[in-house]
């Protein structure tokens, strides 16, 4: 699976890297303040009311904080400390909140820059402190990498099964398993799930496009119209066109944003997803680019439609800047590529919305892909967290961390499920250290 994780060294940033993170956090906070883009997909639908003055800045901030806090502290920070690689939950969810919170335009970038400074200057110290503890829960949390990487591979199988039934899902599952085994045998230095995921996603898209084309042919034969009658008004057209026009007015700012995100990804200190963070930490940049590229198919329809409906884009756009950045040879090329990608995305928003309207099965596939990614990662993170708990404290570690996770479930999930297990490992690690200092626990030897 490549080299060991770089958690011990990955948070030691160069001055250029620190300044890039700080500047990008300042920019994303400013864009959030302007209600031009937010990272949290759950917050974006609320932005239209904010843009049109039907809700206050404080109320929108409360929504953003409520939907983001669990991911920041329960997923973003633990993943960064564990892998040694920064991630969007740690960087961009806080700048969503800070940007919306800031009452003045000039204050938003200052708050964002402040958060970036906290991350690049404070995270390394927290990392070193955690590794000095008798129960090193950060090293234990590296157990999460294998379940995340391999269980993430099955998300196309889940998506196909949900949308097209067990038979096609089983076929894709067999194909993926064969490709994983083949890759492990023939290309041992390559991430075993990369080829399998590529084929799985392509099969899903192929099934969806085939279904849409067959349905259009059948409707055409039956005389069912697919277009509005001439002169009829589409009730969503005016809203969508106004939102697209608003975003196009700020095209230069979006190009700067795209350039910054692509440069950050090129620096190899940032991963766009859970699996990607561990691949970047292992130095497997081509595989990381593949993984994040496949995720794009699950998020383009969501981001495009919510952006057109709300007038607020995604901070990372369609997330294409991530995989492109990983593959760029230097920051200067990445800067140009990121700016170009965001320019194309913003200018193509209206066209993408129209195309998605004509391909309902493809649009549904994205919903199933996102759901499948969440389910696969949810199980992987839970399983990996229990492995970490076992490494920290054996049966007692599993009891404490698993019990905290179940308590969160029983109390209505005050911490979102995806973040609950890593949070339980950190809290469990603190509890085990306290028990050690009280001479009630002996750490498990590695």
């Amino acid at each position: 699976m490549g080299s060991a994780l770089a958690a011990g060294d990955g948070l030691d940033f160069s001055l250029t890297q620190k300044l890039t993170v700080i500047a990008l956090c300042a920019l994303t906070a400013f864009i959030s303040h302007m209600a031009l883009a937010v990272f949290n997909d759950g917050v974006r639908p609320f932005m239209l009311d904010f843009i049109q003055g039907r809700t206050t800045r404080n109320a929108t901030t409360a929504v953003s904080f409520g939907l983001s806090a669990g991911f920041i502290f329960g997923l973003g920070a633990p993943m960064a400390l564990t892998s040694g690689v920064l991630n969007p939950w740690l960087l961009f969810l806080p700048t969503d909140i800070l940007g919306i919170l800031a009452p003045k335009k000039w204050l938003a970038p200052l708050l964002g820059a402040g958060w970036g400074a906290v991350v690049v200057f404070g995270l390394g110290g927290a990392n070193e402190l955690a590794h000095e503890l008798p129960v090193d829960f950060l090293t234990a949390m590296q157990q999460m990498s294998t379940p995340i990487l391999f269980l993430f591979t099955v998300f196309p199988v889940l998506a196909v099964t949900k949308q097209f039934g067990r038979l096609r899902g089983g076929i894709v599952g067999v194909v993926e398993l064969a490709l994983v085994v083949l890759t492990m045998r023939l290309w041992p230095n390559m991430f075993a799930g990369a080829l399998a995921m590529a084929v799985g996603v392509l099969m899903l898209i192929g099934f969806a496009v085939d279904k849409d084309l067959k349905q259009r042919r059948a409707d055409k034969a039956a005389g069912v119209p697919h277009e509005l009658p001439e002169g009829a008004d589409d009730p969503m057209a005016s809203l969508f066109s106004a939102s697209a026009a608003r975003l196009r007015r700020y095209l230069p700012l979006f190009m700067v944003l795209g350039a910054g995100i692509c440069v950050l990804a090129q620096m190899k200190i940032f991963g766009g997803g859970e699996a990607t963070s561990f691949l970047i930490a292992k130095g497997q940049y081509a595989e990381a680019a593949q993984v994040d590229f496949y995720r794009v198919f699950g998020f383009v329809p969501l981001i495009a439609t919510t952006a057109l409906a709300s007038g607020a884009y995604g901070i990372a756009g369609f997330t294409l800047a991530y995989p492109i950045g990983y593959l760029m040879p230097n920051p200067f090329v990445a800067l140009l590529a990121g700016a170009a990608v965001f320019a194309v995305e913003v200018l193509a928003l209206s066209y993408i919305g129209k195309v998605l309207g004509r391909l309902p099965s493809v649009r549904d596939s994205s919903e199933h892909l996102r759901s499948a990614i969440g389910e696969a990662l949810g199980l992987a993170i839970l399983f990996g967290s229990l492995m970490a708990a076992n490494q920290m404290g054996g049966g007692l570690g599993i009891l404490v961390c698993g019990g905290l996770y179940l308590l969160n479930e029983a109390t209505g999930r005050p911490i979102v499920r995806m973040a609950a297990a890593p949070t339980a490992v950190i809290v469990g690690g603190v509890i085990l250290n306290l028990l050690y200092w009280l001479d009630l626990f002996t750490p498990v030897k590695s």
Side-chain angles (χ1 to χ4, degrees):
M1 284 296 299
S3 58
L5 292 181
D9 303 319
L11 294 169
D12 184 18
F13 306 111
S14 69
L15 178 61
T16 301
Q17 291 168 341
K18 290 176 180 176
L19 292 176
T20 300
V21 172
I22 291 171
L24 187 56
C25 286
L27 177 62
T28 53
F30 177 75
I31 289 174
S32 172
H33 174 86
M34 298 282 288
L36 290 172
V38 289
F39 180 77
N40 194 321
D41 295 321
V43 173
R44 199 171 302 114
F46 293 91
M47 297 305 290
L48 181 63
D49 284 343
F50 176 62
I51 291 168
Q52 297 182 348
R54 292 194 296 267
T55 188
T56 65
R57 186 171 292 278
N58 287 340
T60 310
T61 301
V63 170
S64 182
F65 181 83
L67 293 174
S68 302
F71 286 102
I72 297 168
F73 301 108
L75 186 62
M79 286 292 296
L81 290 168
T82 303
S83 66
V85 176
L86 300 176
N87 58 70
W89 304 285
L90 181 63
L91 295 183
F92 304 145
L93 288 181
T95 58
D96 277 1
I97 299 168
L98 294 171
I100 298 171
L101 173 67
K104 300 293 183 182
K105 189 181 295 187
W106 59 266
L107 183 58
L110 292 181
L111 292 176
W115 175 254
V118 168
V119 170
V120 294
F121 290 107
L123 214 57
N127 184 57
E128 292 176 8
L129 177 63
H131 285 305
E132 294 297 322
L133 295 172
V135 180
D136 183 356
F137 54 84
L138 291 186
T139 297
M141 286 180 74
Q142 292 181 11
Q143 294 290 320
M144 295 169 60
S145 64
T146 300
I148 286 176
L149 288 173
F150 279 90
L151 284 176
F152 186 76
T153 303
V154 305
F155 79 85
V157 180
L158 302 180
V160 171
T161 304
K162 286 172 178 288
Q163 188 171 5
F164 297 105
R166 287 175 287 184
L167 177 60
R168 292 189 183 185
I171 292 171
V172 175
V174 170
V175 170
E176 282 209 9
L177 178 60
L179 289 172
V180 168
V181 173
L182 183 68
T183 303
M184 294 177 77
R185 293 284 294 177
L186 299 181
W187 306 289
N189 293 325
M190 176 181 172
F191 169 48
L195 181 59
M197 277 189 286
V199 173
V201 171
L202 287 173
M203 291 178 75
L204 172 64
I205 294 172
F207 292 148
V209 171
D210 180 65
K211 181 179 178 180
D212 281 336
L213 292 178
K214 286 180 178 177
Q215 185 62 50
R216 287 182 73 85
R217 284 195 294 267
D219 290 347
K220 186 176 181 180
V224 178
H226 279 272
E227 307 293 341
L228 288 171
E230 187 175 351
D233 291 327
D234 183 346
M236 297 300 291
S238 59
L239 175 61
F240 277 20
S241 60
S243 295
R246 177 177 188 264
L247 296 175
R248 285 196 298 270
R249 284 200 302 272
Y250 293 93
L251 183 62
L253 188 59
F254 281 114
M255 292 174 68
V256 174
L257 175 62
I261 290 174
C262 203
V263 167
L264 183 66
Q266 192 279 332
M267 289 179 168
K268 311 301 190 291
I269 61 170
F270 174 88
E274 300 89 345
T276 315
S277 293
F278 289 111
L279 288 170
I280 293 291
K282 293 172 183 288
Q284 296 178 311
Y285 308 126
E287 288 88 343
Q290 283 183 274
V291 169
D292 271 355
F293 179 72
Y294 306 144
R295 288 174 67 113
V296 170
F297 293 104
F299 288 90
V300 165
L302 172 69
I303 294 168
T305 53
T306 55
L308 289 169
S310 69
Y313 197 40
I315 282 292
F318 293 147
T319 70
L320 272 172
Y322 298 160
I324 291 172
Y326 305 148
L327 300 176
M328 289 294 101
N330 59 65
F332 301 106
V333 178
L335 185 147
L336 296 175
V341 166
F342 263 52
V344 171
E345 289 181 7
V346 172
L347 292 173
L349 262 180
S350 294
Y351 175 76
I352 292 170
K354 291 176 183 177
V355 170
L356 290 172
R358 298 187 184 122
L359 296 172
S361 295
V362 174
R363 194 170 61 246
D364 291 345
S365 292
S366 75
E367 299 285 345
H368 291 298
L369 274 175
R370 288 200 311 280
S371 173
I373 288 171
E375 290 178 11
L377 287 174
L379 176 61
I381 290 172
L382 175 58
F383 186 66
S385 297
L386 290 176
M387 291 171 62
N390 182 62
Q391 180 170 314
M392 286 193 307
L396 180 60
I398 291 175
L399 170 65
V400 172
C401 297
L404 289 170
Y405 178 86
L406 292 173
L407 181 62
N408 183 70
E409 290 286 303
T411 53
R413 295 190 202 131
I415 299 174
V416 291
R417 181 176 281 170
M418 188 79 76
T423 302
V425 175
I426 293 176
V427 175
V430 172
I431 292 173
L432 291 176
N433 277 294
L434 291 174
L435 292 175
Y436 169 82
W437 287 321
L438 294 172
D439 204 23
L440 296 175
F441 169 71
T442 302
V444 174
K445 293 184 179 180
S446 301

